[in-house]
Amino acid sequence: LESVIAELTANLNGQKDAGVISNPLILKVEEVGGQQGRLNYLLPGLLVLTIMFASLLLGTTLVMMEKNSQAFIRNFFLPIRKVTFIISTYLTNLVLILAQIFVILGIALAFLPESYASFPLIALILFLASSVFTFIGMAVGYLFVSEETGVLASISLGSLFLLMSGVLLPIEAMTQNFREVMAFSPFVLAEKLIREVFIFQTAFTEIWLDFVILLAYVVVMFLIVLIIETLLHEQLKHKFMRHHHKKHRATQKAKRGA
């Protein structure tokens, strides 16, 4: 033991440079790619983030404007299917979102011209993502009464999607079960698809499963909005009939009293 300690002491005393002791391994890091910007890595998250908040707020606002209009109750008694009102609100929102998508992709094309071939598929993914978030925003609008609470709920829901997406906090730092659940979030799916297509130039045959899941979200959210619209229609119909019955009874009592 004394001989080993003496040998170690001799080796330490023989070190001329203190940096060798504090940092014995000298590392040299070289980037594989050239010195380029990080726009292509940030663009998928920024695209989905912009489309998500715009779709949520527009969907909620349009439904609230319709509910607060004077023609809202009369529309329920028209011989028009309820799907027509849902599709009209959806298409109105979609036109505004598609215009926003084209503007964003046009600006991105000016800075990333080499990714021109992947833009059509990216636009299709953003179309599905905007459809999902539009129907979510419409569902929020039908569930809440006042416009202020509906908008606040949409912003809170969008913030929740953002916090659990990996854009701000890495998903790898979360638990395994939580990561498996968050992998099916529409925000995570849309960002993953855009990242695969935009950065890695992945073929559609390799990402078709996530694409189908995102499409299934559109169908499911449309059915949920249709169910909520049907329940709201029944509630308004019973409310109107009850109010009309009370008014009729009051009129009959007034006639009897006269």
Side-chain angles (χ1 to χ4, degrees):
L1 182 59
E2 290 179 356
S3 62
V4 173
I5 293 176
E7 184 180 356
L8 291 175
T9 304
N11 290 332
L12 291 175
N13 292 330
Q15 298 295 333
K16 302 294 185 180
D17 189 4
V20 177
I21 301 176
S22 62
N23 190 15
L25 299 177
I26 301 175
L27 302 178
K28 184 179 180 181
V29 180
E30 294 184 1
E31 294 185 359
V32 178
Q35 295 291 334
Q36 298 177 355
R38 297 293 185 267
L39 180 60
N40 53 347
Y41 295 100
L42 297 176
L43 187 60
L46 293 176
L47 284 176
V48 181
L49 179 63
T50 305
I51 295 303
M52 179 188 67
F53 276 107
S55 301
L56 285 174
L57 292 176
L58 279 176
T60 304
T61 303
L62 289 177
V63 171
M64 286 296 181
M65 290 174 61
E66 181 183 359
K67 288 174 62 176
N68 294 329
S69 64
Q70 298 180 355
F72 180 66
I73 298 179
R74 293 196 300 268
N75 291 337
F76 279 103
F77 296 95
L78 294 176
I80 301 176
R81 295 182 300 176
K82 292 181 287 296
V83 180
T84 305
F85 294 101
I86 298 176
I87 296 299
S88 61
T89 304
Y90 166 71
L91 292 179
T92 303
N93 192 23
L94 192 62
V95 169
L96 300 175
I97 296 299
L98 287 179
Q100 188 175 13
I101 290 175
F102 288 134
V103 171
I104 294 175
L105 292 181
I107 296 174
L109 182 61
F111 294 95
L112 301 170
E114 66 277 2
S115 303
Y116 174 77
S118 61
F119 278 9
L121 187 55
I122 292 176
L124 180 59
I125 297 171
L126 291 176
F127 165 74
L128 292 179
S130 63
S131 300
V132 174
F133 293 118
T134 296
F135 285 128
I136 293 176
M138 291 173 62
V140 172
Y142 282 121
L143 291 175
F144 287 87
V145 178
S146 63
E147 185 175 354
E148 292 78 8
T149 54
V151 172
L152 183 60
S154 297
I155 296 175
S156 302
L157 189 59
S159 301
L160 183 63
F161 280 125
L162 177 61
L163 290 176
M164 297 182 179
S165 63
V167 176
L168 298 180
L169 300 175
I171 300 181
E172 292 76 10
M174 304 176 185
T175 60
Q176 179 66 27
N177 295 331
F178 192 78
R179 289 201 304 267
E180 293 177 357
V181 174
M182 287 301 102
F184 294 97
S185 171
F187 189 102
V188 176
L189 285 173
E191 185 192 8
K192 178 183 177 183
L193 288 172
I194 295 176
R195 192 178 300 276
E196 291 287 341
V197 173
F198 187 71
I199 298 178
F200 303 105
Q201 305 297 323
T202 306
F204 180 77
T205 55
E206 299 181 10
I207 59 174
W208 67 271
L209 182 58
D210 293 334
F211 193 87
V212 171
I213 294 175
L214 196 61
L215 182 61
Y217 270 118
V218 178
V219 178
V220 171
M221 290 308 305
F222 172 75
L223 294 177
I224 291 176
V225 171
L226 182 60
I227 293 173
I228 296 175
E229 176 83 5
T230 304
L231 295 176
L232 182 62
H233 175 242
E234 294 297 327
Q235 181 182 3
L236 287 178
K237 184 172 67 175
H238 289 301
K239 183 178 179 180
F240 177 80
M241 295 301 295
R242 185 167 59 251
H243 176 72
H244 181 72
H245 181 66
K246 290 181 179 179
K247 186 177 180 180
H248 178 71
R249 290 178 60 183
T251 304
Q252 292 295 328
K253 288 183 179 179
K255 290 182 178 179
R256 292 173 185 174

